[in-house]
């Protein structure tokens, strides 16, 4: 079928898809022009990922038609999709850790030569591509040695190594700080000016207003509307997404905060990371925010405390007594929880059920004297947390890989709530989570604090960290550079400390 007008680079019309008896997409339409940034929005489970997977060849539609430059396409797999010029950067990273950056970027070309590969040229081309994006990453480095931010950049470079006509980005900035986000946006504007069509999926509605030309919203597998971004605002988009007005994103902080610290860190220095001389404390009932640019040492500090990284020196004090956390097992035994920013690799066990994920940190409380698991006790605990966290699932036996990103994040939280943590570190709590689930997670953080738990939240989202924190520490080059009280919260103050500058003095 040929589109004579050819106004659109991509037309997906009447797309429907079911998995068994579950209808995921119902008569969905998505149209994207050449040289346009088109936002695709919706809550987790709305059908966004399924629609993109149909476009790229992962899934096959039940009905409907897909046109690319006026020609009907039906990619049978992702390779066919890439050949057609459809490149997708998914929220969950899909890099090969044991290969180099360059090998990952040009993975589709490895083996294409009948004789041998010109490794020097591949590495040089990869380095040129990454440099053009404005990021500093060694193309010869192993992917496993990169930070999660650097891995995200490699995924984007990999997508751009193709002859891309339609570029799909699924939550690309969830691990980026403001500086990295601006670099990405500048690149997207450049690609748009080159005529590439960009489909941008994000739960950060402020980003959509800044960069998108048009927006299509999905709700429960149906498109509820498409419009020019200039003709709407965040409130209008939220109404389309969740079908109601949104009054308050952040809950009122009304927890009673203790006067003495529940947890203290003194002069903490790492063996192998940039973390050095980090000292801070958190009180019962307090939500302590940790901000800073990517690479400032925020995540590394949490991993050091949790025993996932090795420390060189420093002291940890819990309820007035010094503790040792030489491994995550030690940390869990002291009722210290850690929800990782890398949900796929470190946050949950994707192939296991919700029940097994939640129980894995808490066998002690659900086991009898002989060490056998009390099944009734286990189910009661797990089902209680599923209900409390509003995890959307028909059963506790559903594998976590089959849940939406927001529900996977809730499972990661449930693991540590099951041990009644005294202190819990939550790294990027709403990464890849829709606005409805964000509110649920913020309310949950609030409830946990009300129980007297010390909650430490690490976030790159400045409105988020200001909205949920009682106090904010800002890291710069591996140490705590500054501290902000509630009345000092502002994006300017956070950024000033993040880049190693003092606050402005106001007379």
């Amino acid at each position: 079928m040929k589109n004579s007008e050819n106004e659109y680079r991509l037309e997906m019309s009447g797309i429907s898809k079911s998995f068994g008896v579950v209808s995921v997409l119902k008569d969905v339409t998505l149209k994207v022009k050449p040289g346009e940034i088109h936002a695709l929005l919706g809550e987790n489970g709305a059908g966004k990922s399924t629609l993109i997977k149909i476009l790229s060849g992962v899934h096959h539609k039940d009905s409907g038609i897909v046109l690319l430059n006026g020609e009907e396409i039906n990619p049978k797999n992702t390779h066919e999709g890439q050949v057609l010029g459809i490149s997708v950067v998914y929220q969950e990273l899909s890099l090969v850790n044991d290969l180099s950056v360059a090998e990952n970027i040009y993975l589709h070309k490895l083996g294409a030569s009948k004789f041998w590969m010109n490794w020097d040229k591949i590495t040089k081309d990869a380095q040129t591509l990454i440099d053009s994006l404005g990021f500093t990453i060694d193309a010869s480095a192993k992917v496993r040695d990169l930070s999660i931010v650097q891995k995200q950049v490699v995924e984007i470079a990999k997508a751009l190594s193709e002859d891309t006509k339609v570029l799909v980005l699924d939550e690309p900035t969830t691990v980026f700080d403001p500086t990295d986000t601006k670099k990405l946006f500048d690149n997207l504007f450049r690609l748009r000016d080159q005529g590439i069509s960009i489909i941008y999926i994000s739960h950060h509605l402020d980003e959509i207003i800044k960069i998108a030309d048009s927006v299509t919203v999905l709700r429960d597998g149906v498109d509820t509307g498409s419009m020019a971004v200039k003709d709407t605002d965040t409130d209008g988009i939220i109404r389309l997404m969740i079908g109601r007005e949104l009054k308050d994103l952040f809950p009122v902080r009304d927890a009673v905060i203790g006067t003495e610290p529940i947890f203290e860190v003194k002069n903490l220095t790492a063996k192998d990371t940039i973390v050095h001389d980090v000292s801070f404390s958190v009180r019962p009932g307090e939500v302590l925010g940790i901000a800073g640019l990517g690479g400032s040492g925020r995540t590394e500090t949490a991993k050091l405390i949790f025993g996932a990284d090795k420390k060189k020196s420093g002291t940890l004090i819990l309820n007035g007594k010094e503790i040792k956390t030489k491994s995550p097992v030690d940390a869990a035994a002291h009722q210290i929880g850690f929800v990782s920013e890398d949900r796929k690799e470190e946050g949950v066990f994707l192939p296991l059920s919700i029940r097994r994920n939640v129980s894995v940190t808490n066998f002690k409380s659900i086991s009898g004297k002989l060490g056998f698991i009390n099944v009734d006790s286990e189910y009661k605990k797990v089902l209680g947390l599923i209900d409390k966290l509003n995890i959307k699932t028909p059963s506790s036996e559903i594998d976590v890989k089959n849940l939406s990103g927001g529900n996977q994040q809730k499972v990661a939280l449930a693991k540590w709530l099951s041990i009644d943590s005294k202190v819990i570190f939550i790294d990027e709590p709403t990464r890849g989570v829709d606005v409805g689930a964000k509110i649920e997670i913020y309310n949950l953080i609030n409830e946990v604090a009300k129980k007297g738990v010390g909650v430490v939240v690490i976030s790159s989202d400045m409105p988020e960290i200001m909205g949920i924190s009682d106090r904010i520490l800002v890291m710069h080059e591996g140490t705590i550079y500054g501290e902000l009280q509630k009345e000092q919260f502002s994006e300017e103050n956070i950024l000033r400390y993040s880049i190693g500058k003092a606050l402005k003095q106001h007379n």
Side-chain angles (χ1 to χ4, degrees), residues 182-232:
K182 184 181 183 304
K183 287 180 187 177
L184 174 65
F185 289 171
D186 289 343
N187 280 298
L188 295 185
F189 294 144
R190 176 173 57 84
L191 295 170
R192 179 182 65 182
D193 293 344
Q194 293 173 5
I196 292 175
S197 299
I198 299 167
I199 299 174
Y200 192 92
I201 300 172
S202 178
H203 294 307
H204 295 282
L205 300 186
D206 56 327
E207 292 182 358
I208 302 306
I209 299 299
K210 284 180 184 176
I211 69 165
D213 302 300
S214 302
V215 58
T216 294
V217 178
L218 299 183
R219 185 169 78 237
D220 297 328
V222 177
D223 62 275
T224 60
S226 296
M227 67 205 74
V229 168
K230 64 181 177 61
D231 296 331
T232 189

Side-chain angles (χ1 to χ4, degrees), residues 205-267:
L205 300 186
D206 56 327
E207 292 182 358
I208 302 306
I209 299 299
K210 284 180 184 176
I211 69 165
D213 302 300
S214 302
V215 58
T216 294
V217 178
L218 299 183
R219 185 169 78 237
D220 297 328
V222 177
D223 62 275
T224 60
S226 296
M227 67 205 74
V229 168
K230 64 181 177 61
D231 296 331
T232 189
D233 57 17
T234 54
D235 289 340
I237 293 171
I238 289 170
R239 280 195 297 273
L240 289 173
M241 285 175 63
I242 65 179
R244 66 182 190 276
E245 298 282 350
L246 180 63
K247 294 180 180 179
D248 297 306
L249 180 59
F250 302 107
V252 175
R253 289 285 303 122
D254 55 1
V256 176
I257 299 174
T259 56
E260 297 298 323
I262 190 172
F263 185 66
E264 297 174 83
V265 177
K266 295 185 177 181
N267 308 115

